[in-house]
Amino acid sequence: MSMKNILAGNIARYRKEMGFTQEELANKLSITFQAVSKWETEQSVPETSLLPKLAQTLNVSIDKLFGYSANQEKATYYENTYRSSDEYYWGVTPSLTCLKVLALLPPDKRLKVLDIGCGEGKDAVFFARCGYDVSAFDISDAGIEKTKRLADKAGVHVNAFKADICDYRLDSKYDILYSNGSFHCIKPDLRDEIMSNYKANINENGLAVFQAFIKKPFIAPSPEKEEHHYPLKSGQLFTYFHDWYIEYCEETVFDCNSSGKPHRHAANKVFARKNV
């Protein structure tokens, strides 16, 4: 996705969230509404000198307009943790979920994968080593740095970049969208729109692979104390793919020691195929 595309989409999104028409936004900026229309259709971009006033009018930061870290606090725990050591917080062994992806859609041709919320890159690098064409993003600068370092060590390429899951939208298609524990970081009021964007950008016969934390009364809050986690209801993740073929879905409760403090998570996982 180009920077112009991200900026255009965000101007339109935040304008609508503020309840402004294009003409109303233009009046506040002392420009023509045609200029706003051109921004939102990628025909032009705002003058640099206008960006501070535009961001202030839309009640966002300039970084957020460009799709960067909409909320720096979101990354605080993992950013600090990833930076605190050269070791990999999540290890470097890929998730078993990757093996099921290999079984369901093996790379017998060049297939494009997007790892959404890649962390430190262990799964993204595994996919690249298996022959997939891999892109990956995360909100953590340290996570992206470690992803690139891990890819270099493995002798493979991962197109790793920083983006906020709540702001970033796809404008090109992939064969596999992979989100192993990031979808619950999306604000509930954005989930439907973002998932629609994801589904529209998966190729025919492609896979959506999502795991998300769910609420259970007997599961205590994670010791990581992530403020921007919004666990789903049991089964809610599956409903996003009611019109697709569900290859596999499950609900699990599992032990975790990622923070050095034993705890448990409850999660739903789904593998859905487009237009079988």
Side-chain angles (χ1 to χ4, degrees):
M1 177 178 286
S2 69
M3 188 59 67
K4 183 184 286 189
N5 179 272
I6 294 171
L7 180 60
N10 284 343
I11 291 173
R13 183 174 305 114
Y14 301 132
R15 171 180 63 77
K16 292 172 185 176
E17 286 182 3
M18 294 295 292
F20 299 149
T21 64
Q22 289 183 343
E23 187 170 6
E24 288 170 334
L25 177 59
N27 288 339
K28 290 179 181 294
L29 299 174
S30 301
I31 59 175
T32 66
F33 81 89
Q34 290 94 339
V36 175
S37 176
K38 288 181 178 180
W39 296 346
E40 295 185 2
T41 54
E42 302 179 53
Q43 297 178 56
S44 66
V45 296
E47 295 290 336
T48 303
S49 60
L50 196 57
L51 287 175
K53 188 173 181 180
L54 174 61
Q56 182 180 32
T57 303
L58 296 179
N59 197 31
V60 297
S61 66
I62 294 176
D63 278 352
K64 188 170 183 178
L65 272 180
F66 284 91
Y68 299 120
S69 301
N71 187 334
Q72 291 296 334
E73 292 183 17
K74 179 183 289 187
T76 298
Y77 177 84
Y78 289 118
E79 184 71 34
N80 291 339
T81 302
Y82 294 165
R83 284 203 182 280
S84 67
S85 172
D86 288 335
E87 299 297 319
Y88 279 70
Y89 183 74
W90 304 107
V92 295
T93 302
S95 167
L96 293 177
T97 304
C98 297
L99 301 181
K100 195 164 186 69
V101 173
L102 277 172
L104 289 172
L105 198 57
D108 52 2
K109 59 181 179 180
R110 198 67 173 170
L111 298 176
K112 292 179 63 179
V113 177
L114 177 64
D115 188 344
I116 300 166
C118 64
E120 297 165 298
K122 63 183 180 62
D123 290 354
V125 170
F126 173 79
F127 285 131
R129 293 181 70 179
C130 290
Y132 295 97
D133 181 356
V134 183
S135 296
F137 73 84
D138 198 273
I139 195 171
S140 167
D141 286 302
I144 294 303
E145 290 170 11
K146 293 177 92 169
T147 295
K148 292 178 178 178
R149 195 155 65 238
L150 190 63
D152 288 344
K153 185 176 180 180
V156 297
H157 174 70
V158 172
N159 175 31
F161 58 96
K162 179 180 178 178
D164 187 316
I165 194 172
C166 288
D167 292 335
Y168 189 67
R169 302 296 184 274
L170 310 185
D171 69 346
S172 61
K173 292 193 174 183
Y174 295 86
D175 299 292
I176 300 166
L177 292 188
Y178 179 86
S179 172
N180 191 13
S182 61
F183 192 70
H184 52 259
C185 296
I186 297 173
K187 296 175 182 177
D189 61 341
L190 295 177
R191 285 176 186 154
D192 288 349
E193 184 233 326
I194 289 176
M195 185 59 88
S196 293
N197 171 255
Y198 288 169
K199 291 175 67 178
N201 284 287
I202 298 179
N203 287 323
E204 299 296 303
N205 202 45
L207 285 176
V209 181
F210 284 78
Q211 176 172 278
F213 290 165
I214 58 172
K215 299 176 184 176
K216 289 293 182 182
F218 50 85
I219 301 293
S222 168
E224 281 95 347
K225 300 182 191 248
E226 271 288 344
E227 294 181 15
H228 303 284
H229 278 186
Y230 312 93
L232 284 72
K233 294 180 180 178
S234 179
Q236 185 178 358
L237 182 63
F238 310 146
T239 65
Y240 287 105
F241 301 98
H242 68 91
D243 53 343
W244 286 25
Y245 181 75
I246 295 182
E247 295 273 5
Y248 175 81
C249 63
E250 68 172 3
E251 179 167 302
T252 57
V253 174
F254 57 93
D255 295 323
C256 185
N257 194 41
S258 59
S259 62
K261 299 177 182 178
H263 57 283
R264 295 193 299 169
H265 294 292
N268 280 171
K269 183 185 297 183
V270 63
F271 292 72
R273 191 181 295 270
K274 185 172 186 177
N275 298 336
V276 171

